[in-house]
Amino acid sequence: MSSSASSRKPAAPSSARVSTVVLDARDAHELAAFYRRLLGYVVRAEEPHWVLIGPPPGTVGTSLAFETEPDYVPPVWPTRRPGDQQMMLHLDIEVDDLEAEAARAVAEGARLADHQPQDDVRVLYDPSGHPFCLWTETPS
């Protein structure tokens, strides 16, 4: 009898946790500066081709790191043709005022995507071309 993931016993508690999401870019410092402005994050560590940013001390949130990758190719979303660089992940960023935060993101250097799949989400591209979503809780 085969066992499926849903029928397996729960895993033992682990000390593992996601601490940082790393994004490649042609210029790690430029992309880190964009997300610092967008999220109000601070620089935690910096090297010539790598930057780590995170929430200010005393606040909670996931850190972001940026690594310079000279051969970086921006993803295509939604995928249009076989062989296009596909999006491997995207950031979901919760906001209180969707329209105001989307406008602020654009003013900081983001670009609004042509395809907008939901009323309570705005899909944008950061300056390196990574798609990210601003979203707001809709009242039930």
Side-chain angles (χ1 to χ4, degrees):
M1 176 179 197
S2 67
S3 152
S4 70
S6 62
S7 66
R8 293 184 186 146
K9 291 182 181 178
S14 172
S15 64
R17 61 195 169 279
V18 175
S19 62
T20 306
V21 174
V22 181
L23 298 172
D24 289 346
R26 284 198 184 104
D27 184 329
H29 293 271
E30 176 184 69
L31 192 57
F34 167 77
Y35 280 104
R36 276 188 22 245
R37 293 188 309 268
L38 185 69
L39 301 171
Y41 276 17
V42 297
V43 174
R44 295 217 174 134
E46 193 166 11
E47 296 177 8
H49 301 288
W50 182 82
V51 181
L52 174 67
I53 66 172
T59 60
V60 177
T62 301
S63 294
L64 297 174
F66 306 90
E67 185 168 18
T68 297
E69 172 55 58
D71 295 327
Y72 171 76
V73 175
V76 175
W77 181 89
T79 301
R80 290 181 175 78
R81 298 180 317 258
D84 282 347
Q85 175 63 42
Q86 294 185 14
M87 175 179 65
M88 296 175 70
L89 67 86
H90 71 275
L91 302 175
D92 281 346
I93 301 169
E94 185 177 8
V95 297
D96 294 329
D97 184 330
L98 188 59
E99 297 309 319
E101 290 299 325
R104 191 173 73 77
V106 168
E108 293 293 352
R111 180 174 50 90
L112 195 63
D114 291 334
H115 179 62
Q116 297 295 323
Q118 298 167 239
D119 291 338
D120 58 346
V121 173
R122 289 297 169 272
V123 180
L124 297 104
Y125 300 101
D126 69 23
S128 289
H130 301 101
F132 69 96
C133 295
L134 300 179
W135 68 278
T136 188
E137 188 78 34
T138 54
S140 337

